[in-house]
Amino acid sequence: MLSTAVSAALLGIDAYPVHLEADITRSGMPTFIMVGLAEGAVRESKERVLTALKNSGFKLPSARITINLAPADMRKEGSTFDLPLALSLLSAAETIPKSALQGYFTAGELSLNGELKPISGVLPMALKAKEEQARGLIIPRQNAPEAGVVDELPVYPVSTLAEAVQFLCGEQSIAPFSCDVSDLWDSRHEFSLDFSEVKGQDQAKRAVEIAAGGGHNLLFMGPPGSGKTMLAKRIRTVLPLLPFAEALEVTKIYSVAGQLRPGQALITERPYRSPHHTISDAGLIGGGQIPKPGEVSLAHRGVLFLDEMPEFKKHVLEVLRQPLENGDVTLSRAAVSLTYPADFMLVAALNPCPCGYLTDDTHPCSCTPAQVQRYRSRLSGPLLDRIDLQVDVPAVPYKDLKQIQSSKDSATMRANIVAAREIQASRYRDLPYATNSELSGRWLQECCQLTQTEHDFLEQAMQKLGLSARAHTRIMRISRTIADLERAPTVTVNHLAEAINFRFMDREDRF
């Protein structure tokens, strides 16, 4: 007898339906055949499923069993198909009524005793099930909160294979899992970090405010202990709150990567990722035979902090160029080519020299000019061109350290940043841009119109400092953000002057 169960497989951060067709033929030699481009873990599911069926009290006839995973031209991987495979076999063996499986999406990994274990990628599967107008989604109980954020989709959590069978046969009633998304937003905790804890560094805080206000990338340069990491860790406390649509995007990435905490339904705060400098290029942008998301995707809609940036391998840093330019990353393998979102705010930190004390008046620098040049040359020009703001972070003097609290806190900064973002959202409502950092071409000139006075000032500055055309574009973008933070309709000389001050590494004498 032929029976079909429906599940879903992942392609990037999205899912597509997979139909598991099971045929049991009593004639011929007993055998078990699986076709449909099943990868290792899927092929191994035969032993898990047959043992789980036996230990759950179900018996299959001695017959020729053929399993087809359709569409047959798409590779399937992982242990997601254990539960639908077991259910399709039981339906083909007439233990479950054939009509009972119709309309349900099922997914789950089986242990040998028939218990269900959690799987990755449930949120994309739930969204696909809703899109397909499924009757319901049957998944492991631990995955229920994640799937429950998808409204208008009945989610039926089960703990064992036997429980799933009893539910489908009408012998046991299971209430659909409900998740109140509004409660998730209300339960967002306050950050334990705050910019009020950062003593001094007013210029660096101003740079953070500008970077967050316009979605710009940011680079800190300063001696050890000057507070570069401290500043970076607090940047997401001033970013606008994550809206629901973006929260779904981020949660899908973490679901596919298997990085959601047990019982976590939705990621409601912007991510902050800080990989170690020994990370590989695959770890940074993603990789594997079937590529999985890397750090740049896990930082989507949040902050990616690269501490001691020159210590990263040069070829690892160069792979950042595509996601910084396009907001996504494409991973091509022989079997598949996948695109993952990677729209993040890059924050980098480095010392001014190998020993770190070139710009510190209280510690002598032991580096030669050649060593300083070699150290900074680890950052290529094309990569630096994609970092809009460059700010010097000097050592903090004692008079600032003895202050009880800084004058600028995260709440004040966030209010100003949100107001600037709202101005940009209104300005770019009908344009393919969201923030000032994306402006280019004629729209850059249109949105940053200058009078002859500003043109003359900018021309003199570029000639005197030896700034490039790329630096000109960055200065215009930064100036527009500074004007938005001040609620100014046009860019003025003061805005341009402040923007130029944050491009110190572009100058001819920067080394």
Side-chain angles (χ1 to χ4, degrees), residues 296-342:
V296 296
S297 296
L298 294 171
H300 182 60
R301 304 298 185 188
V303 176
L304 177 67
F305 177 51
L306 301 184
D307 198 9
E308 302 295 343
M309 195 178 187
E311 300 301 330
F312 286 76
K313 298 181 181 66
K314 191 164 186 175
H315 73 276
V316 173
L317 291 177
E318 291 306 306
V319 301
L320 286 171
R321 288 160 63 174
Q322 182 199 358
L324 286 176
E325 193 71 26
N326 302 331
D328 57 35
V329 58
T330 300
L331 307 174
S332 298
R333 300 293 183 268
V336 67
S337 179
L338 299 177
T339 298
Y340 287 113

Side-chain angles (χ1 to χ4, degrees), residues 266-278:
L266 191 69
I267 292 178
T268 57
E269 296 170 353
R270 295 189 181 274
Y272 172 84
R273 307 292 297 187
S274 180
H276 193 261
H277 61 77
T278 56

Side-chain angles (χ1 to χ4, degrees), residues 22 30 34 52 58 69 86 90-91 104 122 144 175 178 184 219 225 229 246 332 342 360 385 405 427 459 468 474:
M34 182 180 292
F58 302 107
L69 284 73
L90 291 174
S91 179
Y104 283 106
V122 167
S178 61
L184 296 177
L219 182 144
T229 302
E246 294 183 3
S332 298
D360 192 345
D385 281 340
Q405 194 173 38
R427 181 190 302 131
E459 181 181 6
S468 67
R474 266 59 189 181

